Amino acid sequence: MQLAVIGTGYVGLVAGVGFADIGNDVVCVDVDETKIARLKRGEVPIYEPGLDALIETNVKAGRLTFSTDIATAIRAAEVVIIAVGTPPAADGSADLSAVFSVAETIGKNLNGFKVVVTKSTVPVGTADRIEERIRRHTTQPFGVASNPEFLKEGAAIEDFMKPDRVVIGSNNARALEVLRNLYTPLVRKSEDIHEMDARSAELTKYAANAMLATRISFMNDLAVLSEKLGADIERVRKAVGADPRIGPKFLYPGAGFGGSCFPKDISALIQIGQGVGHELEVVRAVESVNKRQKRLLFEKLRRHLDGALEGRTVAVWGLAFKPQTDDIREAPALVMIRELLEAGAKVRAHDPEAMDNVRAVLGDRITYCENMYEALEGADALALLTEWQEYRQPDFERVKRLLRTPTLLDGRNIWDPKALRALGFWYTGIGRP
Ligand SMILES: NC(=O)C1=CN([C@@H]2O[C@H](COP(=O)(O)OP(=O)(O)OC[C@H]3O[C@@H](n4cnc5c(N)ncnc54)[C@H](O)[C@@H]3O)[C@@H](O)[C@H]2O)C=CC1
Ligand SMILES: O=C(O)[C@H]1O[C@H](OP(=O)(O)OP(=O)(O)OC[C@H]2O[C@@H](n3ccc(=O)[nH]c3=O)[C@H](O)[C@@H]2O)[C@H](O)[C@@H](O)[C@@H]1O
C-alpha cells in the first residue's frame, strides 16, 4: 500500500518504518526541515533502540522516504496517517492546531478515495471535526478513521510490530477494510483488531493511558502510606500483583510518571469530561497524586538536611522520563532539579542519552557529567531518578568515596536498603522502611 505519514516524531517515524518493513511504500513527512534533512542523511533524530537499523534497511530497500512536501505525499497516498503532536494547551486540553492544519491540507489535495487516519491522541469527536475540515475543500470521496497508537517509548518497535491489540474506529466501511488489511500482518489473530466507531476508538486511547496512570498513582499513594506505617511497598507490590486479576505490570512506585503522554492525556481527559459536564474524580486524583510524587524525593532530601539546601551539591543519576529513551518531557528529574536550583543547591547530572535534551532546556544552570561517577565528586547526596541498567549495580565503595556525605535517594527502588545501610549510607527509597 502507498502510505503518507504526516508528522515524523516518536510515533510517526516508528509507524512509518514499521509499515515499510512489512512491505508498504511509505513517505514520512514533517514541517521540520532540519529533522527531514537529518533523516535523509541517514541520521536518526531520536534515541529509540533498534530504530536506526530498521530505517537503514527500509530506506535501502526503497520502501521508506522522507519529505517536507506534504501535498505531493498526500496525492500519491492511498492512506494518509496523521501523527503530528497534540501538546497540552494552556488550559490542559489538547492543542489540535497541527491536526487541523494537516486536515485542511489533505482536503486541498484529495485526488480520489483516500483513508485519512488519525494516530495522534485526540479528544473524542475529533474524527468528525477532521472530516468537516477536509470537506470544506473537496467533493472527492474519503473515509476518516481513528487509529490510536499504544506503543511505549524505549520499546516502540517491538510494541508497534507486535501489538497486543489494534484499535480502528470509523463509520466508513471502506476505511475499516483498508485498515484491517494494513494491520493484518502485524497481529497474531484477527480478534486482536478491535473495530468500532471513531468516538469509542478515541476514548479507548485515553481510557488505556488513564488506567495505567491510575495504577501508578495508586501505588505511589500507597507507598507514602507504607512508609508512614513501617511497611514495605515492594513486598506489597509483588504480592498484590500476583493476583492474576491485578497482574504485576505498571505497579512500580517511583518518582512519579512523566513522558509526553500520561500527564498530557490525563489533563486532556479531565477537560473532555468537563466539556460534557462530568467531573472525572478518579482521574483528578491520579493527577494530583502524581504532582505530589514528583516532589517527594526533593522533600525527603530537604527534611534530611533540615532545610539547609543552600550551597549544597546534589548528584542526579537519570534525566530521561524513563530508561531507553532520550525523551525528557515531563520528566520527574526536571522537577527535582528545578526545586534544587530554586533552593540554592548546585546539581551535577548524568544520563546516558538525555543530557543534550536537558542542556537545551536548562543550559549551564547545572553541570553535565559524561561519566556517572564524575557526577558524585563533592556532592552531598545522590538522587536516582531513572532506572537505567548501568545504575543498578554501581561500585558503592567508589560512590561512598566520591560523595562528601554518603546520602542516597533511590527514586525507583532499585537498590537494596539493608546492604547500603550496612555500608554506611543514609538511604531512602519510595515506600520502604
Ligand atoms: N510518544 C509516544 O510514545 C506516543 C505518542 N502518541 C501520540 O502521538 C502524537 C505524536 O506524538 P509524538 O510522536 O511523541 O510527537 P513528536 O513531537 O515527537 O512528533 C510530532 C511531529 O509532528 C511534526 N509536525 C507538527 N505539525 C506538523 C504539520 N502541520 N505537518 C507535518 N508535521 C508536523 C513535528 O515537527 C514533529 O516532528 C501525539 O498525539 C501523542 O499523544 C501516542 C502513543 C505513543
Ligand atoms: O500514549 C502514549 O504516548 C504512551 O504512553 C505510555 O508510554 P510511555 O509514556 O512511552 O512510557 P511508560 O512505560 O508507560 O512510562 C510512563 C511513565 O510512567 C512511569 N512508570 C511506569 C510504570 C510503572 O510501574 N511505574 C512508573 O512510575 C515511567 O517511569 C514513566 O515516567 C503508555 O505505556 C503507552 O501504551 C502509550 O502509547
Side-chain angles (χ1 to χ4, degrees):
M1 245 180 265
Q2 196 78 39
L3 311 182
V5 180
I6 318 294
T8 309
Y10 285 87
V11 166
L13 187 55
V14 170
V17 70
F19 283 132
D21 203 55
I22 54 170
N24 297 288
D25 285 318
V26 181
V27 50
C28 282
V29 187
D30 207 286
V31 281
D32 184 337
E33 291 177 9
T34 316
K35 192 179 259 189
I36 294 298
R38 288 184 66 187
L39 283 159
K40 281 184 173 171
R41 285 198 301 271
E43 291 170 28
V44 181
I46 53 170
Y47 173 75
E48 183 61 49
L51 190 58
D52 310 40
L54 209 60
I55 290 178
E56 196 183 333
T57 310
N58 285 283
V59 167
K60 268 198 187 133
R63 291 187 296 261
L64 179 65
T65 55
F66 301 100
S67 172
T68 51
D69 183 355
I70 172 165
T72 305
I74 290 168
R75 281 199 288 270
E78 299 162 76
V79 179
V80 182
I81 299 171
I82 304 174
V84 297
T86 49
D91 65 353
S93 64
D95 176 350
L96 295 176
S97 52
V99 171
F100 290 145
S101 140
V102 173
E104 304 257 354
T105 313
I106 294 171
K108 289 175 192 158
N109 289 283
L110 270 197
N111 54 350
F113 182 82
K114 289 180 204 301
V115 181
V116 178
V117 185
T118 312
K119 204 167 239 327
S120 303
T121 302
V122 292
V124 181
T126 302
D128 296 338
R129 297 175 71 193
I130 289 176
E131 186 163 343
E132 188 263 323
R133 302 271 169 151
I134 297 174
R135 240 183 247 299
R136 280 181 197 173
H137 303 281
T138 187
T139 53
Q140 293 278 348
F142 63 95
V144 168
S146 161
N147 168 223
E149 180 52 58
F150 299 100
L151 65 78
K152 300 181 290 298
E153 289 179 24
I157 293 170
E158 174 85 4
D159 286 349
F160 186 81
M161 301 306 276
K162 294 178 188 163
D164 299 318
R165 80 314 205 172
V166 169
V167 171
I168 307 170
S170 181
N171 307 324
N172 182 300
R174 198 166 159 194
L176 283 175
E177 191 191 338
V178 169
L179 289 179
R180 197 182 311 128
N181 290 338
L182 180 65
Y183 274 106
T184 294
L186 295 177
V187 296
R188 280 168 290 258
K189 41 190 195 311
S190 58
E191 303 89 89
D192 293 341
I193 299 180
H194 296 257
E195 296 184 10
M196 55 188 81
D197 59 282
R199 281 175 184 255
S200 302
E202 289 164 341
L203 186 56
T204 301
K205 174 63 194 176
Y206 285 102
N209 274 0
M211 175 72 88
L212 293 168
T214 302
R215 286 170 68 98
I216 301 169
S217 272
F218 178 77
M219 290 305 285
N220 282 337
D221 211 14
L222 278 192
V224 174
L225 181 69
S226 262
E227 209 165 313
K228 286 186 193 287
L229 297 174
D232 184 349
I233 194 68
E234 286 304 313
R235 299 211 177 255
V236 176
R237 172 179 66 74
K238 285 178 196 149
V240 168
D243 182 333
R245 293 172 302 175
I246 296 172
K249 294 183 181 169
F250 276 75
L251 291 182
Y252 290 80
F257 57 76
S260 65
C261 291
F262 283 175
K264 146 177 103 59
D265 292 350
I266 275 164
S267 60
L269 184 56
I270 292 168
Q271 288 284 327
I272 291 168
Q274 284 171 346
V276 289
H278 180 64
E279 198 65 51
L280 288 157
E281 293 176 43
V282 174
V283 186
R284 262 201 183 287
V286 169
E287 186 175 55
S288 63
V289 166
N290 196 49
K291 283 193 176 137
R292 187 190 67 198
Q293 197 72 11
K294 282 183 167 175
R295 297 190 69 252
L296 187 72
L297 278 197
F298 170 77
E299 289 300 342
K300 281 183 169 223
L301 181 61
R302 200 167 59 146
R303 268 202 309 276
H304 178 63
L305 296 174
D306 293 324
L309 276 158
E310 178 97 45
R312 304 277 186 153
T313 300
V314 179
V316 173
W317 279 359
L319 301 171
F321 83 96
K322 62 182 243 183
Q324 300 299 327
T325 180
D326 60 354
D327 197 339
I328 57 160
R329 291 180 279 187
E330 305 281 340
L334 292 183
V335 174
M336 170 114 188
I337 290 173
R338 288 201 172 103
E339 296 277 4
L340 288 167
L341 293 176
E342 218 156 277
K346 294 192 182 68
V347 175
R348 296 174 65 79
H350 175 267
D351 187 284
E353 295 295 337
M355 288 203 290
D356 287 347
N357 285 340
V358 173
R359 205 177 272 117
V361 179
L362 292 179
D364 57 9
R365 295 177 68 202
I366 65 171
T367 305
Y368 304 91
C369 303
E370 288 304 323
N371 179 291
M372 62 194 244
Y373 291 104
E374 193 191 321
L376 310 177
E377 287 167 15
D380 297 284
L382 164 61
L384 175 123
L385 273 298
T386 318
E387 68 279 29
W388 284 96
Q389 287 291 37
E390 63 200 83
Y391 301 147
R392 284 185 184 269
Q393 214 165 48
D395 176 350
F396 279 113
E397 293 289 356
R398 191 169 168 200
V399 171
K400 203 169 154 204
R401 274 200 307 278
L402 289 166
L403 286 175
R404 196 150 50 191
T405 45
T407 302
L408 298 179
L409 297 111
D410 177 1
R412 299 289 170 181
N413 287 354
I414 62 170
W415 295 328
D416 178 352
K418 247 195 211 153
L420 291 170
R421 287 182 187 130
L423 274 177
F425 284 99
W426 181 87
Y427 169 96
T428 187
I430 307 287
R432 306 166 98 180

